[in-house]
């Protein structure tokens, strides 16, 4: 399905708003539009690789993937930075600085902060040599537990040069979670939030010009670590709320209960324009996408996309899509999201964010997509999962692993055969996608054995890590 001939309806908050940089130095681009126009095509991707829950006895690693089609090592993992310990379950990661820090003199977007979801260990990797990054700092779990926090998830640079991490549990892996703050020397500065301000936690995104942050909910680590259990859902152990924070006061000013249709709200994405109060969150279990927005001084959230469950011969119940990741293109025109259990990636035109319009979709792996989406290449078991889009919006990449125990439950071959990284060529003008038949990165073919692959980042910033002042 495609809307190839549809006109482009520009959204009022389109990403071209500039702000004064004066003589200040710092990382990033001055505006989202500058990121589109001034960036060069991505040549390397940093990808989380992990061995947790596989038969391979090796530490998790940061994979450096060559995505330059003119390179002799195109589609290869050209370097791996192994972590010093086993069992971290590397998951999400982020930069020490981004465009929101562009007024902080001396900062560079050079260091990746890489937490272990299970270990609560936090690694700092220097990427000055982009093809050969190296670990320079490790914060041990005991240092994190001192703040009664564990299970780090989302990493965001924040405007004054500090780094904030959402933490999903207390020191025992139970609720409540909170937020941990690191200074620009990668030392723990303390909790960002007052203890007890939030119970469940997961992802967050902030809009500093609007003095707002929105966070979402997964569950206590001790609930989701062993795997997914419907009884836990019925017992109310999984989240369904969004929390709207006063960014400067670090306090929740509003909580939105998404109800049964908003079960397990995961990734939160504001539009990139710093003046926008519109954004989206995907409710994984309910398989819906909600549009959130500010009106009359309050935030609201409306369901705008509903992924219908599908019957499958091997399932006792209809299979939900399981919306596990979503992102917004840098020009704020398109929303992309993955249905991990179904096996498709969808592209919606969100020029009018309250009325998304399906533009195109691609099937690869999962329960309903082709097992061999690329002729002559290996099988793909997991569905599309973590997404990343090029800054110009023309190349969409994804990996196939969600979380080790959940992988084992729904796609046991993922741990035995390893993940893949795939790519679609996107035509933003026509609103179409096409699976690149020449691109596959095989995480099943590594020296230590098959690995899972998770989140993706570009060295010069990307559509899921950059925030503008």
């Amino acid at each position: 399905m495609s809307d190839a001939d549809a006109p482009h309806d520009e959204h009022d908050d389109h990403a071209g708003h500039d702000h004064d940089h004066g003589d200040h130095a710092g990382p990033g681009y001055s505006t989202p539009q500058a990121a589109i126009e001034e960036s060069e095509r991505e040549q390397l991707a940093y990808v989380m690789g992990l061995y947790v829950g596989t038969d391979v006895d090796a530490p998790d690693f940061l994979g450096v993937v060559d995505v330059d089609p003119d390179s002799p090592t195109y589609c290869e993992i050209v370097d791996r930075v192994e972590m010093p310990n086993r069992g971290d379950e590397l998951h999400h990661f982020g930069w020490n600085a981004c465009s929101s820090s562009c007024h902080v003199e001396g900062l560079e977007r050079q260091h990746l902060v890489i937490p272990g979801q299970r270990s609560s260990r936090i690694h700092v990797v220097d990427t000055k040599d982009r093809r050969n990054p190296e670990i320079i700092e490790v914060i041990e779990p005991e240092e994190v537990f001192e703040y009664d926090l564990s299970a780090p998830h989302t990493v965001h640079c924040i405007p004054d040069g500090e780094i904030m991490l959402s933490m999903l549990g207390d020191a025992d892996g139970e609720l409540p979670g909170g937020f941990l703050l690191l200074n620009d020397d990668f030392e723990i500065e303390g909790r960002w939030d007052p203890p007890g301000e939030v119970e469940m936690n997961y992802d967050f995104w902030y809009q500093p010009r609007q003095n707002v942050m929105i966070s979402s909910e997964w569950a206590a680590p001790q609930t989701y670590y062993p795997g997914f259990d419907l009884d836990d859902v019925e017992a109310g152990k999984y989240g369904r709320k969004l929390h709207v924070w006063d960014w400067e006061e670090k306090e929740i000013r509003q909580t939105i209960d998404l109800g049964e249709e908003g079960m397990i709200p995961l990734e939160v994405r504001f539009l990139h324009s710093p003046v926008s109060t519109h954004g989206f969150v995907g409710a994984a279990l309910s398989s819906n996408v909600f549009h959130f927005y500010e009106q009359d001084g309050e935030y609201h959230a409306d369901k705008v996309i509903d992924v219908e469950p599908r019957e499958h011969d091997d399932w006792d119940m209809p299979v939900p899509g399981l919306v596990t990741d979503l992102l917004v293109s840098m020009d704020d025109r398109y929303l992309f999201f993955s249905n991990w259990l179904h096996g498709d990636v969808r592209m919606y035109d969100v020029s009018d964010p309250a009325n998304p319009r399906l533009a195109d979709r691609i099937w690869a792996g999962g329960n309903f997509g082709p097992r061999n989406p690329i002729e002559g290449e290996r099988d793909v078991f997991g569905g599309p999962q973590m997404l990343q889009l090029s800054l110009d919006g023309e190349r969409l990449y994804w990996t196939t692993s969600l979380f080790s125990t959940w992988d084992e439950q729904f796609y046991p071959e993922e741990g035995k055969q390893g993940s893949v990284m795939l790519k679609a060529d996107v035509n933003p003008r026509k609103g179409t996608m096409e699976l690149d038949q020449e691109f596959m990165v095989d995480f099943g073919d590594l020296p230590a054995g098959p690995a899972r692959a998770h989140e993706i980042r570009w060295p010069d910033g990307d559509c899921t890590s950059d925030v503008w002042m």
Side-chain angles (χ1 to χ4, degrees):
M1 183 181 297
S2 167
D3 67 348
D5 299 322
H8 181 186
D9 181 17
E10 289 284 344
H11 180 54
D12 288 343
D13 288 338
H14 188 178
H17 300 273
D18 204 349
H19 68 285
D20 181 21
H21 277 235
D23 296 326
H24 295 289
Y29 300 96
S30 58
T31 65
Q33 190 63 33
I36 296 169
E37 295 175 357
E38 298 171 9
S39 63
E40 297 180 353
R41 178 180 172 133
E42 66 282 358
Q43 295 187 329
L44 295 173
Y46 296 127
V47 184
M48 292 290 89
L50 57 153
Y51 284 113
V52 173
T54 73
D55 294 333
V56 178
D57 182 22
D60 296 349
F61 61 91
L62 171 70
V64 181
V65 177
D66 188 337
V67 293
D68 176 6
D70 296 326
S71 167
T73 54
Y74 183 49
C75 293
E76 294 182 14
I77 301 169
V78 295
D79 191 35
R80 288 177 297 117
V81 182
E82 292 189 341
M83 301 298 116
N85 297 274
R86 287 166 167 73
D88 286 311
E89 181 120 24
L90 303 184
H91 196 63
H92 288 216
F93 62 132
W95 290 101
N96 65 308
C98 70
S99 293
S100 71
S101 307
C102 63
H103 287 178
V104 182
E105 189 171 3
L107 271 185
E108 293 183 63
R109 196 199 319 251
Q110 180 177 323
H111 295 96
L112 284 167
V113 177
I114 305 175
Q117 231 293 311
R118 284 184 188 270
S119 67
S120 298
R121 188 175 287 108
I122 301 170
H123 314 82
V124 181
V125 171
D126 187 343
T127 67
K128 186 173 184 178
D129 183 344
R130 291 185 169 188
R131 289 180 74 95
N132 299 282
E134 59 179 352
I135 294 178
I136 62 163
E137 189 76 44
V138 177
I139 299 172
E140 295 296 340
E142 292 73 19
E143 300 174 67
V144 175
F145 297 155
E146 288 182 16
Y147 297 88
D148 200 22
L149 292 169
S150 68
H153 189 270
T154 300
V155 179
H156 270 305
C157 46
I158 61 176
D160 57 5
E162 296 170 316
I163 302 145
M164 197 160 94
L165 295 84
S166 61
M167 310 293 291
L168 275 53
D170 65 12
D172 296 321
E174 299 289 355
L175 300 177
F179 295 90
L180 189 71
L181 206 58
L182 307 184
N183 63 26
D184 56 6
D185 289 324
F186 309 112
E187 300 165 332
I188 295 179
E189 198 160 279
R191 293 184 68 123
W192 178 82
D193 57 319
E197 186 74 0
V198 64
E199 186 176 26
M200 289 187 194
N201 206 4
Y202 182 72
D203 193 33
F204 69 102
W205 192 290
Y206 64 95
Q207 281 287 58
R209 202 181 295 191
Q210 305 299 329
N211 189 35
V212 65
M213 179 180 90
I214 292 184
S215 64
S216 59
E217 296 185 333
W218 192 4
Q222 296 298 349
T223 298
Y224 65 79
Y225 276 174
F228 178 73
D229 188 338
L230 267 178
D231 289 341
D232 289 333
V233 177
E234 295 173 358
K237 293 184 178 181
Y238 279 96
R240 62 182 205 179
K241 298 175 183 173
L242 296 181
H243 303 284
V244 183
W245 297 73
D246 185 309
W247 173 246
E248 293 181 358
E249 297 298 327
K250 306 173 183 176
E251 294 176 349
I252 294 176
R253 69 184 193 210
Q254 185 185 350
T255 292
I256 303 172
D257 188 338
L258 301 175
E260 295 294 326
E261 294 191 309
M263 290 301 301
I264 315 184
L266 294 180
E267 311 304 332
V268 178
R269 313 294 186 211
F270 267 105
L271 298 190
H272 296 285
S273 167
V275 302
S276 177
T277 58
H278 294 266
F280 298 93
V281 62
L285 185 59
S286 303
S287 300
N288 297 318
V289 175
F290 283 77
H291 165 227
F292 60 78
Y293 56 98
E294 186 270 338
Q295 188 175 64
D296 300 328
E298 287 199 340
Y299 270 82
H300 307 266
D302 300 331
K303 186 187 74 171
V304 289
I305 299 172
D306 187 352
V307 177
E308 292 290 332
R310 294 182 58 174
E311 299 290 339
H312 191 289
D313 291 343
D314 297 334
W315 280 61
D316 296 331
M317 55 180 280
V319 183
L322 211 74
V323 179
T324 50
D325 193 22
L326 77 169
L327 64 78
V328 178
S329 61
M330 195 58 77
D331 63 1
D332 289 340
R333 182 180 175 189
Y334 290 110
L335 172 74
F336 298 85
F337 67 84
S338 55
N339 286 309
W340 188 60
L341 286 181
H342 280 187
D344 62 319
V345 180
R346 295 192 183 190
M347 174 182 183
Y348 281 77
D349 187 328
V350 290
S351 300
D352 175 1
N355 295 287
R357 187 161 49 92
L358 180 63
D360 206 353
R361 75 169 77 174
I362 282 179
W363 292 91
N367 283 289
F368 298 101
R371 186 66 61 221
N372 297 99
I374 298 182
E375 187 176 348
E377 291 287 354
R378 53 155 289 186
D379 290 349
V380 174
F381 298 101
Q385 216 284 103
M386 294 308 297
L387 309 173
Q388 192 53 263
L389 184 68
S390 60
L391 292 174
D392 62 9
E394 296 185 1
R395 293 166 299 283
L396 180 73
Y397 301 78
W398 65 85
T399 56
T400 54
S401 170
L402 175 59
F403 194 71
S404 61
T405 43
W406 295 43
D407 287 353
E408 285 301 292
Q409 197 170 350
F410 295 103
Y411 296 116
E413 287 298 317
E414 182 83 1
K416 297 174 184 173
Q417 307 293 333
S419 299
V420 297
M421 180 175 171
L422 299 175
K423 165 179 169 281
D425 291 316
V426 181
N427 186 327
R429 186 178 63 82
K430 295 183 176 180
T432 58
M433 296 188 292
E434 183 177 0
L435 188 67
D436 185 345
Q437 291 291 323
E438 304 298 322
F439 186 95
M440 175 182 277
V441 181
D442 186 1
F443 280 74
D445 184 22
L446 292 172
R452 308 180 195 278
H454 199 67
E455 196 172 39
I456 305 166
R457 297 236 171 269
W458 313 129
D460 291 317
D462 47 59
C463 294
T464 57
S465 65
D466 241 328
V467 174
W468 275 267
M469 286 288 288

